[in-house]
Amino acid sequence: MAQEILSVAIWEPVPGLEAASLATLRELGSIVSAKGYGSDQLYRDRESHYVLLRHWKSETARSAAQEDPDMLRCWARLGNEIQIVKVYETLTEVPLGAQELDSAN
C-alpha cells in the first residue's frame, strides 16, 4: 500500500488578488481530487496567512501532479497571485503513542 504524503504551504495573497488566489486554489483542489492525486484543506490565521494542507495519495501521485499540464497552468497563475511564506514538501508523521515514543529515544 502506498504511503500518503503531507505537504504544507503557508502563503499570503498579493494585495488585491485574494479572491483570484482563492479561485485558483479551488481549481487546483478540484484537479487534485478529480484526478485522484489526493485532497486539500485550507486554513487561515489572524494575520491573513493561509495554510494549505495537501494530502498526496502517494509519491507516484505527487510526481504525476508535478507533470500534469492542468496543475502546471494553475501553479503558474498562482505564482502571480500569492507570496509564499514557507513550504514543507514532505512531512513525516511522528506517532504519539507511548510505545512509539520509547522506541524513538
Side-chain angles (χ1 to χ4, degrees), residues 16-33:
L17 295 178
E18 185 168 12
S21 67
L22 292 174
T24 302
L25 254 293
R26 278 191 293 277
E27 185 177 347
L28 268 169
S30 293
I31 295 166
V32 167
S33 178

Side-chain angles (χ1 to χ4, degrees), residues 11-21 48 50 78-84:
W11 56 276
E12 56 191 20
V14 169
L17 295 178
E18 185 168 12
S21 67
S48 298
Y50 286 88
L78 195 61
N80 296 311
E81 299 169 344
I82 66 171
Q83 297 285 329
I84 298 290

Side-chain angles (χ1 to χ4, degrees), residues 2-5 36-38 55-64:
Q3 184 173 352
E4 185 177 84
I5 297 169
Y37 296 140
H55 296 268
W56 297 104
K57 295 247 184 209
S58 65
E59 181 59 43
T60 302
R62 184 169 74 161
S63 294

Side-chain angles (χ1 to χ4, degrees), residues 38-87:
S39 62
D40 288 351
Q41 293 174 295
L42 184 63
Y43 298 87
R44 183 177 175 180
D45 72 9
R46 292 182 180 168
E47 285 94 39
S48 298
H49 292 117
Y50 286 88
V51 179
L52 176 69
L53 304 179
R54 177 161 292 147
H55 296 268
W56 297 104
K57 295 247 184 209
S58 65
E59 181 59 43
T60 302
R62 184 169 74 161
S63 294
Q66 291 173 339
E67 297 178 12
D68 184 308
D70 296 328
M71 295 286 288
L72 293 171
R73 276 190 288 279
C74 286
W75 280 326
R77 189 175 37 201
L78 195 61
N80 296 311
E81 299 169 344
I82 66 171
Q83 297 285 329
I84 298 290
V85 174
K86 183 75 175 174
V87 173

